Amino acid sequence: MVWKPNVTVAAVVQRDGKFLLVEEEATAGLAFNQPAGHLDENESLLEGVARETLEETGYSFRPETLVGVYLWHAQEKELTYLRFAFAGTLLDHDPTRPLDTGIVQTLW
C-alpha cells in the first residue's frame, strides 16, 4: 500500500483585527474553520486557495504569502492531510453567490 496524503489549501485573512471564518457542517456538528478545501487535479496551490475561498465565502482572494505547511493525521478516518495555508488580500465580494454545500455562513 502506498501512503498518499490528501492535499488541502486554506486562506488566512485578517481584517480590522478579525479573521475570516466559515461555519460549516462537520462530522461532529457545526464547526468554525478557515476557508479551505481539497486541491483539484491540475490546479496550482495558488489557484486552489483562491477557488476554495470564493466557493466558501463569496470573496475573491489573492494569495500573497505562504503562512505554513501542516501535516495532520485523522485517526478516525485513517487519512492524512497536507495543508498549505496562505495569507492574502480580499479583492471583492459577491453576497448573492451560493456557498459550497455544507457551509452555513461566512463570518468575521
Side-chain angles (χ1 to χ4, degrees), residues 64-93:
E64 297 166 341
T65 305
L66 179 65
V67 174
V69 180
Y70 307 92
L71 188 65
W72 178 64
H73 181 73
Q75 290 184 357
E76 70 280 357
K77 296 180 183 180
E78 283 301 315
L79 291 173
T80 300
Y81 296 92
L82 182 62
R83 175 173 281 199
F84 295 83
F86 293 90
T89 302
L90 296 179
L91 304 174
D92 62 315
H93 183 239

Side-chain angles (χ1 to χ4, degrees), residues 9-11 14 16 19 24 27 32 35 40 43 56-57 59 63 67 73 81-82 85-86 92 96:
V9 290
Q14 187 264 353
D16 299 326
F19 288 92
E24 63 184 340
T27 306
F32 294 105
D40 285 349
E43 185 175 54
E56 293 194 355
T57 69
Y59 283 98
V67 174
H73 181 73
Y81 296 92
L82 182 62
F86 293 90
D92 62 315
T96 64

Side-chain angles (χ1 to χ4, degrees), residues 28-39:
L30 291 177
F32 294 105
N33 198 1
Q34 301 157 324
H38 292 271
L39 189 68

